[in-house]
Amino acid sequence: MATNTADTQADPSADEFDPRQIEAAAQARWAAEDSFAASDNAAEDDKFFCLSMFPYPSGQLHMGHVRCYTLGDVIGRYQRLIGKNVLQPMGWDAFGLPAENAAIKHNIPPAQWTRDNIAHMREQMQSLGFAFDWSREFATCDPEYYRWEQWFFIRLYKKGLVYRKSSMVNWDPVDQTVLANEQVVDGKGWRSGAPVERRELPQYFLKITDYAEELLTALDELDGWPESVKSMQRNWIGRSRGIEIVFGVADEPADSAAGSLSVYTTRPDTLLGATYLAVAPEHPLAQAAAQADPELAAFIDSCRNVKAAEAELATIEKRGMATGRDAVHPLTGERLPIWVANFVLMDYGSGAVMSVPAHDQRDWEFARKYDLPIVQVIEPLPDSEATCNLEQAAYTDHGRLINSGSYDGLDFEGAFDAISEALAAQGAGKETVNYRLRDWGVSRQRYWGCPIPMVHCDDCGVVPELESNLPVVLPTEVTFEGVRSPLTTDERFLACTCPICGGPARRETDTFDTFMESSWYYARFASPDSNQPMLDDRAKFWTPVDHYVGGIEHAILHLLYARFFHKLMRDEGLVDSDEPFRQLLMLGMVLKNGRKMSKKDGDAANPQTLIDRYGADAVRTAMMFAAPPDQSFEWSEAGVEGQARFLKRLTAQVREFVAGKPAPALDPAQLSKAGKALRRKAHEALDRAGDDYGRRIQFNTVVSRVHELSNAIRELPGDHAPDRAAVAEALRFAVVILSPIAPHVTQHLWELIGESSVLATSSWPAVDPDALVLDTIELVVQVNGKVRGRIEVEPAIDADAAQALALGDANVQRFVEGKTVRKTILVPGKLLNLVVG
Ligand code: ANZ
Ligand code: ZN
């Protein structure tokens, strides 16, 4: 084999290394041998369901997709190599607003736009060599898919888990649609950027709140999820323990509905500091008071236009008006004025709060504005660093009670219990648990979505369609007039028969929130052609997903809804596990100039340009090399070029090796010292790569290791014939180790080194523990704590022998000369310290 580096780095001519041809050949082989088909019949413990979040078919893959799908692919390919029966499917989250916008703009039906995009993106994915089992592909706009969503919705409806309710919604005046709270960013629509209005509309809701407690507690067992994601989910569910306190309403009969007012508080310890009560504008008490008070009615009306989502209620300007009524304090009998306030939500707690301006910031701001009394009842604990200055802000920390009569001196817990008991004793309070989580409003006033399978009959009301009439098919040949959904004017769609009385009826024109489709797609991949019912036993076999890979932007809603659906499906007997995703990998972002890469970055953001120029493997390798998966990083094309050069060099190296003399059989005893060192490096790389792929989920380090191994092979002196076997082994390992990341080039190299199989479906080599054992190790020698030398020793050397060797080192000798060694400290495998004096 060649020994000089200049030789091995010689650039093979372009036709000797043609990624396009290498990739086409590998892909053709995988297709011909159906290499990535998952087996539904394999032994249960061998299955590995590897899933990357399916994309919205926007038209082009972007760098974020390339990162996500390459990561998932690397994980899945490694699992296949270690013998797992891997299911790695792909499909399309195909409903959604952009298709409608494109239709409106360019006059293309959304279905056609979507199908064209899917075709293009599928081709791009195939060119990247992802090991998907394409036989399971589907798009959520396929009637065979959404039919089951309709079916399931009706099941839930019949179980009482769906209800219809008029409710305030965030209305985007530009997109003409309802937005979820989280689609409202700074009071504006997330897509349109238009200020959001509040409107009332009848909506369908799924009772996710029935599952709030389980959705919360089950997080504790999700060991494979990042802590940060679990904490975001916990906050979103927002469980709080508090009490419901009943205040009397002055001058109303105590036993009438108007005679009491319930508030929810998490701070009963502040009860003696309540100086007024506040109710939501929609609260019955406010509505009743407004009947005789036009000014109040006008105020309540103006609150409807609050352009804010819940998250912003803390920051909006506080506005309110007194109702003229008073509440009666349950402990002191004192009269407290009742106000209407714009920051009190009707659908949280009881829609009313006891206001404690000294200890709640919103109440404090409100009290300052309307000149209401502020009474301090909590002081910081003596040993705390907190300070209380009510001229500047409320004191919101826990502390010790003051100005609270017999409760003075109690801490938070003591006061919580004592005051709760006192209230309970007089029937004025009971402990409750509240969740910030709301039921899931699934209606969207849009065309390009799954039709909600409900029927409006003048006689029977709103009723579910018959199962036998499913799917309610979304008409795909439509023309848009403005942004309004074409469904609202399409007679072919609208006219139907009432499933109850058989009379003429009208179809519901709202479609589902597209989060519905993405909440169960993973399970459908397991049984993509199941016809009776939505999932069959294959879903039980494959779920839960073993590794789920996706963007951090889905950390809350998508994952929460999918977890909810999994539990719903479990309760229908469709799956038999409690959670859908065992391990979760949340990716960092691909950045350009410090912000998320987007179409605006032009060619740089288009992976196709890079694939065409450098080949898919170079793009994949650069992407994996750039950063650990959960970190965001700045994208640079230079990285792709660098990896392309490396792959080419590695190819040349393998080619040169196989062109030389055949390697002898490996005999570790015959290896030179350098040959042994190479062998150790190769086995170490294999060992560590296995850990990186399988446990650490860090692939940048794998790429570096292959770089190093390739260099080490190149640096091995070529004068000892038996070492050639170590080189053969090292090259073979380099090829296998790199194969999940750069699957095409490595398949080519695999064939070059004489293998006839498909590398992707062969197996990960075993590490030889003997190869990892070091003959000698280096010990750092210190004299009085300062490094004075290094010695080569046997790994198991004892302190005396090490000292004797160390004293043979000239430099160490210099510092010990004329002194006595008083103490010898050996840290095995690391250092030897001689204490002299
Ligand atoms: C009195 C009080 C004193 C409060 C104090 C806080 C601090 P979480 O933890 O989110 O559950 N609240 C109750 N219902 C409300 C509604 N419908 N709209 C707006 N605010 C409402 O928050 C519970 C606290 O939020 C409750 O405790 C209540 O204010 C307020 F020093 O009651 B508190
Ligand atoms: Zn009817």
Side-chain angles (χ1 to χ4, degrees):
M1 83 166 262
T3 55
N4 85 46
T5 26
D7 228 352
T8 50
Q9 277 183 340
D11 236 15
S13 64
D15 51 273
E16 277 182 272
F17 184 75
D18 177 1
R20 207 178 297 242
Q21 195 227 314
I22 288 172
E23 285 162 16
Q27 287 166 14
R29 236 185 126 180
W30 298 330
E33 305 194 18
D34 208 2
S35 300
F36 309 125
S39 161
D40 291 323
N41 306 316
E44 176 101 23
D45 53 353
D46 270 334
K47 71 97 184 175
F48 191 90
F49 189 172
C50 180
L51 183 67
S52 299
M53 290 179 183
F54 68 163
Y56 177 76
S58 56
Q60 287 277 354
L61 284 191
H62 56 66
M63 288 301 177
H65 291 130
V66 174
R67 187 176 195 202
C68 180
Y69 301 134
T70 306
L71 281 163
D73 198 45
V74 170
I75 293 172
R77 280 175 176 273
Y78 172 71
Q79 294 293 332
R80 186 175 285 107
L81 281 173
I82 62 168
K84 293 286 170 62
N85 169 26
V86 175
L87 167 56
Q88 194 183 205
M90 186 40 69
W92 312 94
D93 192 11
F95 280 133
L97 200 57
E100 277 181 71
N101 291 342
I104 293 158
K105 231 182 174 169
H106 308 298
N107 213 13
I108 320 167
Q112 189 195 325
W113 184 86
T114 304
R115 298 282 173 199
D116 290 350
N117 288 349
I118 288 175
H120 182 61
M121 289 170 75
R122 184 195 299 115
E123 211 172 283
Q124 287 190 301
M125 285 189 182
Q126 284 167 343
S127 78
L128 278 156
F130 298 133
F132 295 136
D133 180 348
W134 285 106
S135 72
R136 294 167 189 259
E137 175 192 6
F138 62 81
T140 56
C141 62
D142 297 342
E144 275 315 298
Y145 180 75
Y146 66 68
R147 151 189 197 174
W148 295 109
E149 192 165 303
Q150 295 174 336
W151 174 85
F152 194 59
F153 178 80
I154 292 170
R155 305 280 288 205
L156 297 177
Y157 182 89
K158 290 180 176 165
K159 267 181 141 178
L161 285 165
V162 173
Y163 61 92
R164 192 163 184 259
K165 183 182 91 172
S166 259
S167 75
M168 279 295 199
V169 294
N170 302 304
W171 180 257
D172 186 319
V174 169
D175 282 341
Q176 291 280 300
T177 192
V178 175
L179 299 175
N181 283 345
E182 53 288 350
Q183 293 174 317
V184 180
V185 181
D186 295 331
K188 301 195 175 93
W190 69 333
R191 290 194 208 259
S192 70
V196 168
E197 296 166 9
R198 306 272 284 168
R199 274 210 191 175
E200 198 157 302
L201 274 182
Q203 308 274 305
Y204 296 94
F205 288 85
L206 291 194
K207 279 196 193 166
I208 190 171
T209 51
D210 276 14
Y211 285 78
E213 190 63 31
E214 193 194 341
L215 286 167
L216 183 71
T217 51
L219 287 171
D220 297 340
E221 266 126 66
L222 287 177
D223 299 332
W225 282 41
E227 215 33 70
S228 59
V229 174
K230 287 194 276 188
S231 123
M232 283 189 254
Q233 297 245 326
R234 283 188 191 105
N235 289 336
W236 190 261
I237 296 166
R239 183 186 204 270
S240 75
R241 167 178 172 249
I243 69 173
E244 219 165 279
I245 302 181
V246 185
F247 285 73
V249 177
D251 311 321
E252 296 281 351
D255 52 1
S256 73
S260 67
L261 178 60
S262 224
V263 306
Y264 171 68
T265 179
T266 49
R267 295 292 306 272
D269 58 318
T270 66
L271 179 55
L272 279 305
T275 57
Y276 62 101
L277 267 62
V279 299
E282 304 90 345
H283 194 282
L285 189 144
Q287 300 286 327
Q291 275 176 7
D293 183 346
E295 217 186 320
L296 186 62
F299 170 75
I300 290 173
D301 216 42
S302 76
C303 290
R304 277 175 179 271
N305 298 328
V306 173
K307 292 167 181 166
E310 187 191 342
E312 274 110 49
L313 285 174
T315 53
I316 57 166
E317 199 207 333
K318 316 271 171 305
R319 296 191 306 129
M321 188 175 277
T323 60
R325 308 194 173 189
D326 286 340
V328 180
H329 194 289
L331 295 184
T332 64
E334 206 185 331
R335 289 173 77 121
L336 306 176
I338 302 173
W339 284 62
V340 178
N342 66 342
F343 62 89
V344 180
L345 295 166
M346 189 56 215
D347 57 0
Y348 189 61
S350 58
V353 302
M354 68 173 202
S355 301
V356 184
H359 304 293
D360 180 281
Q361 188 58 23
R362 292 165 301 185
D363 298 345
W364 183 87
E365 285 167 30
F366 195 86
R368 295 282 280 209
K369 180 166 175 181
Y370 295 106
D371 212 15
L372 292 156
I374 299 177
V375 176
Q376 184 183 356
V377 290
I378 307 288
E379 64 176 11
L381 292 172
D383 55 357
S384 91
E385 280 168 21
T387 53
C388 168
N389 181 350
L390 295 178
E391 284 304 307
Q392 270 163 20
Y395 173 73
T396 58
D397 284 357
H398 288 176
R400 199 164 63 179
L401 270 66
I402 55 172
N403 299 328
S404 299
S406 62
Y407 303 108
D408 280 0
L410 292 178
D411 64 3
F412 173 76
E413 275 82 21
F416 192 113
D417 293 343
I419 292 176
S420 302
E421 266 165 42
L423 291 170
Q426 61 185 83
K430 68 168 194 301
E431 241 192 90
T432 51
V433 165
N434 261 291
Y435 301 91
R436 209 187 313 275
L437 182 69
R438 292 304 129 73
D439 280 336
W440 177 12
V442 294
S443 309
R444 294 293 180 272
Q445 292 63 46
R446 287 184 187 152
Y447 156 71
W448 188 236
C450 169
I452 298 182
M454 300 294 284
V455 168
H456 297 244
C457 170
D458 285 344
D459 294 329
C460 310
V462 185
V463 293
E465 179 53 283
L466 295 174
E467 246 182 59
S468 53
N469 283 345
L470 299 180
V472 175
V473 176
L474 184 73
T476 49
E477 261 142 59
V478 290
T479 42
F480 276 80
E481 286 153 34
V483 296
R484 253 221 341 244
S485 162
L487 291 185
T488 57
T489 52
D490 189 333
E491 271 309 313
R492 295 167 306 168
F493 175 78
L494 286 168
C496 64
T497 306
C498 171
I500 309 273
C501 69
R506 312 288 282 170
R507 288 206 183 283
E508 172 63 62
T509 56
D510 283 358
T511 54
F512 283 132
D513 178 1
T514 57
F515 273 125
M516 285 280 279
E517 286 89 60
S518 54
S519 291
W520 68 283
Y521 78 109
Y522 62 92
R524 184 72 183 172
F525 278 134
S527 53
D529 50 4
S530 173
N531 264 329
Q532 211 50 262
M534 91 200 255
L535 301 173
D536 58 33
D537 281 351
R538 290 172 292 171
K540 291 183 183 147
F541 169 65
W542 283 112
T543 62
V545 170
D546 292 277
H547 214 129
Y548 195 32
V549 180
I552 187 76
E553 66 274 21
H554 291 301
I556 301 178
L557 288 178
H558 160 59
L559 291 176
L560 189 68
Y561 292 151
R563 295 181 59 220
F564 171 46
F565 252 72
H566 198 78
K567 293 169 196 302
L568 292 171
M569 293 191 294
R570 174 200 61 195
D571 294 348
E572 278 287 327
L574 295 165
V575 293
D576 56 7
S577 46
D578 293 326
E579 287 284 331
F581 313 120
R582 192 173 281 155
Q583 283 258 110
L584 179 66
L585 176 57
M586 294 268 95
L587 302 189
M589 286 183 295
V590 182
L591 308 172
K592 190 82 206 173
N593 303 322
R595 47 169 186 73
K596 192 172 177 170
M597 223 168 171
S598 71
K599 277 200 184 133
K600 278 179 236 127
D601 296 301
D603 239 22
N606 185 354
Q608 201 58 53
T609 325
L610 294 173
I611 297 169
D612 293 345
R613 195 173 301 156
Y614 300 105
D617 281 349
V619 175
R620 293 173 58 120
T621 310
M623 198 49 111
M624 295 300 93
F625 186 58
D630 55 353
Q631 281 173 30
S632 297
F633 71 92
E634 185 75 19
W635 175 250
S636 107
E637 191 177 325
V640 184
E641 204 193 334
Q643 297 304 331
R645 254 187 285 120
F646 167 67
L647 295 173
K648 191 169 170 176
R649 244 183 7 245
L650 184 66
T651 305
Q653 193 173 25
V654 171
R655 219 172 253 160
E656 193 152 359
F657 178 77
V658 297
K661 278 201 208 98
L666 180 74
D667 178 357
Q670 298 295 310
L671 298 180
S672 71
K673 196 171 174 204
K676 267 191 194 145
L678 176 67
R679 180 150 197 264
R680 190 173 62 239
K681 197 162 186 88
H683 281 264
E684 213 171 69
L686 183 67
D687 193 31
R688 302 278 207 82
D691 192 43
D692 285 348
Y693 279 138
R695 185 185 62 87
R696 291 179 72 228
I697 315 295
Q698 286 232 352
F699 313 139
N700 52 328
T701 42
V702 175
V703 178
S704 327
R705 256 175 218 127
V706 177
H707 286 183
E708 281 169 27
L709 191 56
S710 160
N711 289 338
I713 295 169
R714 190 164 295 129
E715 282 156 17
L716 183 76
D719 46 15
H720 185 65
D723 283 355
R724 211 169 146 71
V727 174
E729 187 188 48
L731 277 175
R732 184 189 171 84
F733 283 6
V735 168
V736 180
I737 293 171
L738 195 61
S739 69
I741 297 175
H744 307 92
V745 175
T746 49
Q747 174 63 36
H748 175 65
L749 300 180
W750 189 241
E751 289 164 18
L752 272 184
I753 61 177
E755 296 289 345
S756 57
S757 62
V758 168
L759 172 53
T761 53
S762 70
S763 54
W764 189 257
V767 174
D768 176 359
D770 289 342
L772 296 177
V773 175
L774 297 173
D775 287 348
T776 60
I777 54 162
E778 193 181 72
L779 267 193
V780 169
V781 182
Q782 297 182 338
V783 179
N784 288 345
K786 291 214 172 68
V787 177
R788 299 300 185 196
R790 283 163 213 281
I791 50 172
E792 285 271 311
V793 299
E794 274 175 30
I797 196 164
D798 66 19
D800 288 344
Q803 179 180 334
L805 272 177
L807 292 175
D809 180 281
N811 196 48
V812 173
Q813 203 25 258
R814 236 167 27 101
F815 289 92
V816 179
E817 197 96 82
K819 299 181 183 135
T820 326
V821 177
R822 302 201 180 277
K823 206 169 162 201
T824 308
I825 304 155
L826 175 69
V827 183
K830 292 215 171 72
L831 70 86
L832 177 75
N833 188 16
L834 304 178
V835 181
V836 301

